[in-house]
Each structure stands twice: as C-alpha cells, then as structure tokens.
Amino acid sequence: MALTLKALDHSGSRFLLQHYVQITAPRISGRVYPENPYITYILPLALSDDKIMQTVLAISGTHLMVHNPSVEHLMRSHYAVALRSVKHELTKYANGESSDVLKLLVTTLLLCQFECIDGKIHGELYHHLRASRELLLKLQKSKHPVDQNLHGFLLEQYAFLTIVAKITLRVDFQDREVAFDPLVFSLESINRDSNIYGTMFGCAHQLFELIPRISMLANQRLRENEEGISSFESIAQLRLLEDKIRSWDYSRDDSMRPEENYFALAGRIYQQAILAFLYTSFHGPKPPDADLLAKVEPCISDFLKFFLALPPNTSIWTTMMWPVITAGSCMRQPKQREYIFRALDKTPHLMFVCFRMKEILKWVWEDKSGESYGPYGIEMMMKRRNINICVG
C-alpha cells in the first residue's frame, strides 16, 4: 500500500520514511517499550493516508536536517503539501462536508510535533493545537469505533502539548491561548494498564496536572497586582500547590525496567522545574528579590542534580524541553548555564528546538535590566524579539 502514496514517489522520501522508523520515532516518544506508539499506531495510518505520510516525512526530514542540511528542500516540500492538505480538509470539515476526523486529527497533532521539533518562532503550534482540540471533541462525540489505545495516545499528545505550551503567562499573548479542558486535570486515566501508558507523561501525571493550575493562579495574581491586593485565596492556593508538588513521589521497585526508573528521575526533574515555575509566576513580572531567590535557587540546584543524572539516550529525555527552558531561565550561575548548554549540545535527541532553547536562554541571561528572570523573562525576550516560540 505504501508504494501507491504520492508522498513516497521520490527515493529520498522513501529514505526519510526509513529514517523515521529507525531514528526519529524512537527519539520523539517518551516510552518505546514494550511499544512505541509512533510505530505501532502512527506508521500504519501513514501508510494508508497521504497527508499523514507527508507529515511523518516532514518530521523525519527536520530531524535529519540537523546532521544533513541537504534534505531541507525535500523536507519543506513534504511540509508544504501536508499543510495544504490539512487546510483543505479543515475547510471541508468547517463546511459540514464528510471528512475522516481521526486521520485529520492525527495529522494536526503530527504538525504540532513538527513545529516543536523544527523550533518554529511564529506560534504555528497553537493554530494546530486549536484545530486538534476541535477535532478531539468531535471524535469523542462520534459513534464510529476508534481503537481505545490510539484514542488515548492522541489525547495524551494533545494534553502534553497544551500543558507544556505554558511558558508564558499573560493573556495578552492571545496567539498562545489554548483552552484548558477537564482532560488536563485528570491525566492518570489515559491509557492506564496499556503498553503505551505514560508515553509523554512518564510517571509524573500528577505533576503535569499542576502546571495549568499554576498558570491560572498566576493570572489571578496579575489581576490582583493591578488592583493592589493580595487575597487570602491566592496565598492559600500557592501553599496548596507547593505542598502538592513537594509531596509528589514515585516509588521504585526491583521489578521495574531501567526505563521506568528513568521515568521517576524525569519526574524529579519536572518537580523542581514546576516549583520554580510556581514561585516565579506567583512573584509576577517584577525583578526577583531576595525572598524569591531564596526559594528558587535550591530548586535549580536540585533540578541540575537530577537532570545531569538522567542518561541523555533514554527515551523520556525527549520531554525535557519545558523543564530545561523553565529552570534555565532562573539560572544565575555561569557553571549552571554551561551544564545546560553542554547537555543540549550533546544529547542524542538533538533537534532544531535544542538550538532554539539555547538562543532564548542566552537572551534571558544576557539581558542587563535585571528583570529578565523566569517565565516573565522569557516572555519579555519574546516580545522584544517579536517571536512566539513553540515548545513541546
């Protein structure tokens, strides 16, 4: 069936497919054992649908391009065809014409992956995320049978991307707005007891659920700051979230595979980055003071301890971009910054997004105003440079 797809007419395209199967798919999934859903579920769909295949080849191409720039033209060609196909199908869908919602959803979510991997800076991710949300809601109401594990995998992809998209907090970044659905507050049920449970969240589902709550609290604090108040409710919520983050634990046992023990380590990394996110977002956009630094600095030290202990070739490393940029934006010591840059340079998961993270962190660190710190520092640099980064 694959040979009938237009996407595979070119020998270079068939090479990109091979690269996807052997190299890219294992690098973009946080879990590869006992199944990698990017192979088990996405590959068969790609072999039956040209727009999915075009997107798969674009993803493979931008991954390969880091080491082989000669594939850029072919990669851009697949990406352009995928975009045209999705726009055409979305127009049909909006007009009430028949369309395969499942395959369209798979394509929009894969385009989300592409924009993140490619390190895009104009908010392309958010357009695909909003379309994916609409399609997910439609799929959930559909009477057509859908493989439950595939459905769960798509839910997890969407939830992960929606949550880690939150690196800026102010609502005037309208192009970054994606609604928080009830789904993002109940992650542990997604594909529980399946072979692909925790594909993106590892074992840290409970921690990921707190990121949207922190974002909502940050926006509440911004409104309170404008009114010159500090409510008991927001302070109580801060303490509740802090307790939840600090009390998170994941017990290991001797029966676990090494990969699952790395999930626990990844959870520790997220735990420290989320604590820093909580403290800096609650503090607001004003420059950091001694009280804030006293809370955040231990988080950054622990973050680095756990991050440097995580083997860079383990699959869960692919989920590290959010904690890296979040914790990295709070790093004040040159040695800490050096460790982060070295890890991004040497990771087997090297993609253009790694270079983009380094670029943004460098802007934050080199700012002389004293205000560029934490998520608000990232936001400041984005506004100054007129960019809208895609993190995933």
Side-chain angles (χ1 to χ4, degrees):
M1 183 182 294
L3 295 178
T4 67
L5 293 174
K6 290 182 181 179
L8 295 174
D9 284 350
H10 192 282
S11 61
S13 302
R14 294 191 289 276
F15 175 74
L16 287 181
L17 178 58
Q18 181 182 0
H19 181 266
Y20 172 83
V21 172
Q22 296 178 346
I23 308 295
T24 301
R27 291 300 183 207
I28 61 176
S29 180
R31 174 188 284 272
V32 296
Y33 179 89
E35 289 182 31
N36 181 345
Y38 287 98
I39 298 295
T40 308
Y41 295 102
I42 298 303
L43 187 58
L45 286 167
L47 292 169
S48 66
D49 186 274
D50 197 72
K51 64 181 176 295
I52 297 177
M53 180 60 78
Q54 297 280 3
T55 315
V56 162
L57 298 179
I59 290 172
S60 176
T62 191
H63 184 203
L64 177 61
M65 212 174 90
V66 171
H67 302 291
N68 184 357
S70 67
V71 302
E72 180 175 11
H73 177 75
L74 182 59
M75 179 273 287
R76 298 293 173 200
S77 174
H78 286 300
Y79 174 63
V81 173
L83 275 184
R84 285 198 300 270
S85 299
V86 165
K87 288 179 180 178
H88 176 70
E89 290 296 322
L90 286 173
T91 301
K92 287 172 55 180
Y93 171 79
N95 292 333
E97 298 179 41
S98 177
S99 60
D100 190 323
V101 173
L102 174 64
K103 289 182 177 179
L104 186 52
L105 171 61
V106 169
T107 311
T108 57
L109 284 171
L110 286 172
L111 283 170
C112 290
Q113 287 277 17
F114 175 88
E115 310 298 5
C116 294
I117 293 169
D118 201 49
K120 289 294 186 67
I121 58 171
H122 298 297
E124 295 88 345
L125 162 69
Y126 301 92
H127 302 298
H128 304 319
L129 270 180
R130 287 189 281 269
S132 297
R133 177 178 183 268
E134 174 70 24
L135 294 167
L136 265 173
L137 293 173
K138 178 72 173 179
L139 189 66
Q140 288 175 326
K141 297 175 184 176
S142 172
K143 296 180 180 178
H144 296 293
V146 178
D147 182 285
Q148 287 305 298
N149 285 349
L150 171 60
H151 185 228
F153 170 57
L154 299 177
L155 281 174
E156 184 166 2
Q157 271 191 298
Y158 172 78
F160 176 81
L161 290 166
T162 301
I163 290 170
V164 300
K166 282 294 176 184
I167 56 166
T168 60
L169 297 161
R170 281 186 270 209
V171 293
D172 56 348
F173 266 66
Q174 291 296 334
D175 284 345
R176 299 182 68 85
E177 282 302 298
V178 180
F180 283 139
D181 295 288
L183 164 71
V184 302
F185 301 104
S186 55
L187 302 175
E188 286 189 284
S189 61
I190 301 175
N191 277 340
R192 180 176 281 283
D193 299 323
S194 77
N195 285 339
I196 58 172
Y197 181 67
T199 294
M200 303 310 295
F201 297 125
C203 66
H205 299 74
Q206 294 173 349
L207 286 173
F208 277 94
E209 289 173 5
L210 299 178
I211 297 175
R213 293 176 61 179
I214 294 170
S215 296
M216 292 188 293
L217 175 61
N219 279 297
Q220 179 180 330
R221 286 291 298 143
L222 285 171
R223 291 191 296 270
E224 291 179 355
N225 286 337
E226 290 174 359
E227 298 169 9
I229 63 173
S230 183
S231 71
F232 172 80
E233 178 190 356
S234 64
I235 294 172
Q237 185 68 8
L238 168 69
R239 290 171 179 164
L240 175 65
L241 288 169
E242 182 180 23
D243 287 344
K244 283 182 175 293
I245 298 166
R246 289 192 178 280
S247 63
W248 178 86
D249 196 10
Y250 183 73
S251 57
R252 310 180 188 191
D253 62 57
D254 293 338
S255 66
M256 286 183 179
R257 291 179 55 82
E259 181 183 63
E260 292 173 312
N261 281 323
Y262 296 144
F263 288 171
L265 188 54
R268 293 294 180 204
I269 294 167
Y270 263 91
Q271 183 181 39
Q272 298 306 317
I274 292 171
L275 268 177
F277 185 60
L278 173 66
Y279 295 140
T280 53
S281 61
F282 192 86
H283 180 79
K286 56 186 180 291
D289 56 25
D291 288 341
L292 177 64
L293 295 176
K295 292 177 181 177
V296 174
E297 292 291 335
C299 301
I300 302 307
S301 295
D302 285 343
F303 165 85
L304 268 177
K305 178 178 68 176
F306 296 130
F307 180 67
L308 297 176
L310 183 69
N313 62 344
T314 190
S315 58
I316 199 67
W317 205 100
T318 196
T319 66
M320 289 292 113
M321 291 301 99
W322 187 90
V324 162
I325 194 168
T326 300
S329 66
C330 301
M331 290 181 181
R332 303 167 70 238
Q333 299 177 21
K335 200 68 176 177
Q336 293 175 334
R337 298 170 175 181
E338 181 185 332
Y339 286 143
I340 283 292
F341 270 24
R342 191 184 305 160
L344 289 171
D345 285 337
K346 294 187 175 181
T347 175
H349 293 79
L350 188 65
M351 300 175 190
F352 284 114
V353 66
C354 297
F355 302 134
R356 189 67 69 195
M357 294 301 100
K358 286 178 59 179
E359 183 178 40
I360 292 162
L361 286 174
K362 190 175 180 182
W363 292 339
V364 171
W365 296 338
E366 291 180 349
D367 180 68
K368 304 301 183 184
S369 69
E371 299 177 2
S372 185
Y373 183 80
Y376 289 108
I378 298 169
E379 182 180 292
M380 181 191 301
M381 293 302 108
M382 287 170 57
K383 286 185 174 181
R384 186 177 296 174
R385 306 275 177 162
N386 194 28
I387 64 170
N388 192 354
I389 62 173
C390 303
V391 177

